[in-house]
Amino acid sequence: MPVKYVRYAREMGPAWIISAVACGPATLASVAIAGVSYGYQLLWVVILSAVFGTTAQYLAARVGILEGQGIIAATEKHLGKRWAWVLTVDALLATWLAAMVLMSALSGITSLVTGVDTPFWGMLYGILISVFLVRKGYRKFETLCKILVIFVVACFVATLFMAELSLPGIVQGLRPNLPGGLNAAMMMAAIMGGAVHVTIIGMHTYNTNARGWKQSELSLARFDTFTSMGLALGLYSVAIFLVAAAVLHPNGIAVTSATDAALALKPFLGDNAMKIFMIGLWCATLTTLSPTFMAGAYFISDKMGWELDVRDKRFAAAIIAGCLVSMLGPFVKGGFFLLLPLMLALGLTGTPLIIAIILYLLNRSDVSLRNSALLNLMGGLTLLVTSFLAVRFLLTKIGIA
């Protein structure tokens, strides 16, 4: 391995926090339910989600590095306060909705593991996580994210090698197709929303600033994004999807809860399948929820002109506000495992705006290093496909499509 890549491996990090969020329970639920419900049909969406997720996150990193500030401040500087407010509200609504559903998931998993079924688990977790984030800050949490994401990815990749896959089914699944119905439209939007979501795109502009990366680190940012989103998220999503399609779909097993999804591992892990699955799901939820609180605080604080640091009491208060909102999640009726894909699908509807703004910012005549033709092509495709899936989901939801 060339010396520079050894250094990159040592110094990478911001995109791994994003990957930790993307490799969360919502993506797990979405790809598992899609594999169970449609077999290999939606494999092309799973792969495109990793490709477009990598594209969107690298574009976000470029904004953070070239502008030297977060997406909200950059939007206000170049497009004015009105668009900055629109983007802030858009990002914050999607982020706090995600926080509520994720807290519901964390509470639900804990209830399953302990046998104590109460929504008040959310209050306990909200307090603990907020204290951890306010006291410890960015760097130590980044290390925790790396460890837990690697564990979750390894768990499902290992399972993939033991599944009996259908090569003809995989080849067929690589061909774009659009199954009809609301459920299919929601699952396609949810899969894409797991990797291309306004929360993680916006947050990444702040992550690169937190590390102090400059224009000279653009190649490091590209390596960081490719390894975390392209490889780690890609392996995670494809592995879970293929296991669900190969093990559960042929047997007609419906996945409506976390315990149903764990059945995919039982033929290979025996009685330990449920334990391992729940550990992985708990880790995935925790590594998703904590950065979500940070993202909400970044959006609010950047718009208000506050310091983006936990040592600023206003920033800390914004983190706590997100925690308080999330505590309402466990009190919402409905199984959390089925709410997770819906949350991602709804989040995707707010994502095209931030992609469009990022493309504008990176193609201004006065930007120090404008996008290449290839980057604009990939960014344009990301905007087009995410917009199509989001609009299709909304039209299907209201009964028009």
Side-chain angles (χ1 to χ4, degrees):
M1 180 183 290
V3 175
K4 73 172 183 177
Y5 291 116
V6 174
R7 179 175 67 83
Y8 286 174
R10 258 194 335 262
E11 297 179 3
M12 64 183 183
W16 281 89
I17 288 185
I18 300 304
S19 179
V21 178
C23 293
T27 296
L28 186 156
S30 299
V31 296
I33 294 173
V36 169
S37 302
Y38 302 98
Y40 298 99
Q41 286 187 66
L42 300 183
L43 177 59
W44 67 278
V45 184
V46 177
I47 293 175
L48 278 186
S49 71
V51 173
F52 291 154
T54 303
T55 301
Q57 294 307 143
Y58 179 59
L59 291 172
R62 285 177 62 86
V63 168
I65 291 170
L66 297 177
E67 291 291 334
Q69 56 189 351
I71 185 62
I72 303 298
T75 300
E76 183 163 334
K77 177 181 177 181
H78 298 291
L79 289 171
K81 291 184 178 181
R82 180 177 299 180
W83 279 109
W85 271 116
V86 171
L87 181 57
T88 301
V89 172
D90 175 32
L92 198 57
L93 286 176
T95 300
W96 280 358
L97 170 64
M100 289 177 61
V101 176
L102 290 169
M103 185 60 81
S104 175
L106 194 60
S107 178
I109 296 166
T110 305
S111 294
L112 288 173
V113 171
T114 63
V116 180
D117 187 6
T118 173
F120 290 100
W121 283 117
M123 298 182 69
L124 175 61
Y125 278 120
I127 294 171
L128 291 176
I129 294 173
S130 62
V131 169
F132 173 79
L133 291 175
V134 170
R135 297 283 180 132
K136 299 295 183 180
Y138 176 86
R139 295 300 180 91
K140 293 183 179 180
F141 179 67
E142 178 183 272
T143 302
L144 175 63
C145 284
K146 289 180 184 178
I147 295 171
L148 295 183
V149 167
I150 291 172
F151 168 78
V152 175
V153 173
C155 179
F156 284 101
V157 169
T159 305
L160 173 63
F161 285 104
M162 294 181 281
E164 295 183 8
L165 302 175
S166 167
L167 183 58
I170 291 174
V171 173
Q172 186 69 27
L174 293 174
R175 300 174 184 173
N177 63 94
L178 298 172
L182 174 59
N183 185 67
M186 182 182 74
M187 295 315 304
M188 294 172 73
I191 292 170
M192 189 60 66
V196 189
H197 193 283
V198 59
T199 298
I200 57 177
I201 295 172
M203 184 181 181
H204 198 36
T205 64
Y206 301 100
N207 286 352
T208 53
N209 273 274
R211 286 292 292 268
W213 283 0
K214 305 299 181 184
Q215 188 169 320
S216 59
E217 272 85 33
L218 279 173
S219 58
L220 170 58
R222 186 165 54 247
F223 178 84
D224 186 38
T225 305
F226 176 75
T227 54
S228 60
M229 295 296 293
L231 296 183
L233 174 64
L235 283 172
Y236 177 86
S237 300
V238 170
I240 298 170
F241 177 83
L242 291 179
V243 168
V247 177
L248 300 182
H249 177 72
N251 296 312
I253 300 175
V255 173
T256 59
S257 67
T259 53
D260 293 332
L263 294 175
L265 303 179
K266 191 169 183 180
F268 314 109
L269 299 179
D271 295 336
N272 293 321
M274 188 66 68
K275 295 178 183 178
I276 294 175
F277 182 84
M278 286 302 171
I279 291 173
L281 189 62
W282 188 89
C283 290
T285 306
L286 183 63
T287 55
T288 304
L289 187 54
S290 301
T292 301
F293 293 148
M294 294 293 289
Y298 280 134
F299 298 140
I300 294 173
S301 300
D302 200 18
K303 184 65 194 74
M304 301 305 295
W306 302 338
E307 289 292 326
L308 306 181
D309 193 293
V310 292
R311 289 171 291 187
D312 188 308
K313 293 182 179 179
R314 296 167 298 182
F315 184 85
I319 293 177
I320 294 171
C323 292
L324 292 174
V325 171
S326 74
M327 291 178 189
L328 300 174
F331 292 91
V332 176
K333 293 183 179 180
F336 71 85
F337 206 71
L338 296 181
L339 288 176
L340 289 167
L342 177 60
M343 175 266 288
L344 287 183
L346 290 172
L348 186 69
T349 64
T351 299
L353 173 64
I354 194 171
I355 298 175
I357 289 176
I358 284 175
L359 287 173
Y360 169 79
L361 293 175
L362 293 175
N363 284 284
R364 298 182 347 268
S365 59
D366 61 335
V367 71
S368 60
L369 185 61
R370 297 175 69 180
N371 275 356
S372 65
L374 178 60
L375 263 181
N376 280 331
L377 173 62
M378 292 303 299
L381 287 174
T382 303
L383 176 60
L384 180 65
V385 174
T386 53
S387 298
F388 171 75
L389 293 179
V391 170
R392 182 171 181 260
F393 164 65
L394 288 176
L395 294 179
T396 307
K397 183 71 174 176
I398 61 180
I400 295 179

